[in-house]
Amino acid sequence: MKHVNQQDLRELAKSFSEAKPFKHVEITELFDSQFLQKVTNELDRLNFTYKESDLFKFYQSQSLAEGDLPKAIGELRELLYSKEFVKLMSQITGLELTGKADLHATIYEDTNFLLVHDDKLDSRKIAFLIYLTDMEIDEGGALNLFENSDGKPTEVVREVIPKFNKFAMFEVSNISFHEVSEVIVDKQRIAIGGWYHAK
Amino acid sequence: MLNKSYTEENLSAAKQFLEDNSYVQLQEAFSDESFLQSIRDLDFTENKDIMHHCFMEAEFVVPAELKDMLAKFDVSVTSGKVFKLRWKDYSMISDADSALIGHEVIIDATPLWDENAGGAIVYIDAEGESIPIEATPNSVTIIAAKNMHRFFQYVNHYGDGRDRVFVILR
């Protein structure tokens, strides 16, 4: 993981707290790219399940929060659960977080999507994603953040475009309305993500 | 209007099929394309509630001939609404939605549809068992809903430039 100095930390915390339409931040090249490429190369050793409902259509891996994992994916889990990393997340967000996050990999293919929702469930506090592939702005797969009026989503005002080794996170709240736009090309949008919980 | 090949005998067999199953579909239901065209030509308005649905809709007056045909299935309908789904349209099930009980009738007026485009009308029960009614132009589908919820499957980019049009009668 790249070193985040105090100046970087202050800027990330400011960016997170002042972000619109709700608290979020994107960090590029947070991880060592060669390490993340090894993680990507191991994805075919995970078990992905096709999931479809009124709300979504995509492929999701087994939970990566427990059990044996391929070497690099296991190392990524250890990193995300480490005191150092959780402290970094807490410093950026100003939130007290537990060390163990929900964790899984997702693959969105042509026509796959996730409609608007807020992610609120139990004690989820921070949603995060580590993108493992690149998408162009006109290819879909973007994390779209919605403005709200009286607690209801109105329009997309921020698009997070997936890029390899981009880390994105947002605060889960009553107004954290977001979607993953439909992938409209023959390409895979792959990410590892999950939720940190409040202490 | 109704296809004359649906004789009393055929309709009786279809009624029996409905009683044995959760739904029955009459294909090539209308001999007169102008009836389906008149549905597509209705004055639609957009109805959008991002957390629940996004589609076009129009009111529909149930023709007496159709009511008579449905009566042979012991199905009585009093109201109808026409839906038009375009690329990115959908509906979702929300906690506030009441479960459907009784018959729903779908008249499919979709002119042309790509089978990969989504847009199915999906009925789902409490156990998660679902009945997806895919686009079948010129068909009438009768569903016997027993504590089911309904949603419109998201229309993906293969539906771009096309309209998925159907009437739902209750």
Side-chain angles (χ1 to χ4, degrees):
Chain A
M1 191 178 83
K2 91 173 176 187
H3 177 66
V4 179
N5 63 35
Q6 285 303 309
Q7 176 65 20
D8 293 339
L9 191 55
R10 276 193 294 274
E11 286 175 8
L12 288 170
K14 186 170 187 287
S15 177
F16 178 83
S17 65
E18 293 179 355
K20 302 291 181 189
F22 49 84
K23 292 178 182 179
H24 72 275
V25 71
E26 297 172 50
I27 309 173
T28 55
E29 305 289 332
L30 179 60
F31 303 97
D32 178 82
S33 288
Q34 285 186 333
F35 166 65
L36 220 49
Q37 190 56 57
K38 286 181 186 169
V39 169
T40 308
N41 294 342
E42 289 179 353
L43 287 170
D44 60 2
R45 292 165 61 188
L46 299 180
N47 298 312
F48 282 87
T49 305
Y50 176 69
K51 302 178 82 74
E52 181 173 7
S53 76
D54 53 342
L55 182 65
F56 51 72
K57 186 165 86 163
F58 59 81
Y59 295 83
Q60 186 178 52
S61 73
Q62 79 269 29
S63 170
L64 307 181
E66 62 273 322
D68 293 336
L69 294 173
K71 187 170 182 291
I73 297 174
E75 288 173 5
L76 177 63
R77 176 175 66 187
E78 293 307 309
L79 174 61
L80 295 172
Y81 289 179
S82 68
K83 283 183 180 174
E84 181 192 16
F85 194 85
V86 176
K87 183 181 175 188
L88 175 65
M89 294 295 99
S90 291
Q91 287 174 319
I92 293 172
T93 62
L95 298 165
E96 293 246 7
L97 303 171
T98 61
K100 194 162 186 179
D102 305 315
L103 198 63
H104 51 256
T106 52
I107 299 176
Y108 287 71
E109 297 185 334
D110 184 26
T111 76
N112 290 181
F113 64 91
L114 173 60
L115 294 176
V116 184
H117 63 292
D118 60 18
D119 261 9
K120 273 185 74 75
L121 186 69
D122 302 329
S123 58
R124 285 177 181 176
K125 203 60 197 170
I126 293 293
F128 67 93
L129 286 159
I130 303 161
Y131 292 111
L132 300 175
T133 49
D134 291 334
M135 300 295 289
E136 301 302 323
I137 196 165
D138 58 353
E139 294 179 332
L143 173 66
N144 289 337
L145 311 184
F146 283 73
E147 185 54 271
N148 82 92
S149 175
D150 296 329
K152 291 187 175 180
T154 52
E155 60 178 333
V156 175
V157 294
R158 176 79 183 144
E159 290 178 271
V160 178
I161 309 299
K163 294 291 171 194
F164 178 76
N165 203 358
K166 179 190 281 188
F167 180 87
M169 65 173 171
F170 61 84
E171 183 178 16
V172 177
S173 73
N174 288 331
I175 58 160
S176 55
F177 299 115
H178 63 283
E179 69 175 7
V180 176
S181 63
E182 176 194 346
V183 173
I184 59 171
V185 291
D186 185 14
K187 195 168 169 179
Q188 290 186 323
R189 180 254 205 206
I190 306 174
I192 288 180
W195 297 271
Y196 284 102
H197 293 255
K199 263 187 180 171
Chain B
M1 180 172 72
L2 290 166
N3 189 333
K4 301 295 183 213
S5 67
Y6 283 106
T7 60
E8 293 287 335
E9 187 180 355
N10 289 342
L11 291 175
S12 179
K15 182 188 176 195
Q16 186 59 52
F17 186 89
L18 177 62
E19 288 171 1
D20 297 341
N21 299 275
S22 300
Y23 72 101
V24 65
Q25 186 169 71
L26 310 179
Q27 299 185 352
E28 299 298 326
F30 303 98
S31 53
D32 186 358
E33 174 64 23
S34 65
F35 170 65
L36 299 173
Q37 186 62 49
S38 70
I39 294 172
R40 297 193 286 267
D41 289 343
L42 287 169
D43 198 12
F44 289 87
T45 55
E46 187 178 59
N47 187 337
K48 187 173 185 178
D49 174 351
I50 293 177
M51 291 290 278
H52 193 244
H53 60 258
C54 180
F55 45 64
M56 305 280 281
E57 63 182 9
E59 294 303 317
F60 181 77
V61 178
V62 190
E65 190 179 348
L66 191 57
K67 281 186 175 177
D68 291 344
M69 188 273 278
L70 293 172
K72 292 171 184 169
F73 289 84
D74 294 331
V75 173
S76 172
V77 295
T78 55
S79 64
K81 187 164 276 188
V82 190
F83 297 91
K84 181 192 285 187
L85 306 183
R86 307 144 299 170
W87 183 22
K88 300 182 182 179
D89 283 351
Y90 60 89
S91 75
M92 290 187 272
I93 298 168
S94 82
D95 294 341
D97 292 340
S98 304
L100 299 171
I101 297 171
H103 291 100
E104 283 206 339
V105 179
I106 299 166
I107 302 170
D108 198 330
T110 307
L112 190 63
W113 195 247
D114 185 320
E115 63 181 3
N116 299 308
I121 305 160
V122 181
Y123 292 82
I124 187 163
D125 66 19
E127 281 72 47
E129 291 293 315
S130 64
I131 302 171
I133 309 297
E134 307 283 353
T136 309
N138 194 7
S139 67
V140 171
T141 306
I142 304 171
I143 297 99
K146 295 170 186 164
N147 278 316
M148 301 180 105
H149 285 84
R150 163 173 38 82
F151 69 89
F152 302 153
Q153 186 184 46
Y154 174 85
V155 175
N156 63 47
H157 67 97
Y158 290 102
D160 188 18
R162 304 173 193 268
D163 290 331
R164 170 95 167 92
V165 184
F166 52 88
V167 187
I168 294 184
L169 307 174
R170 285 195 60 78

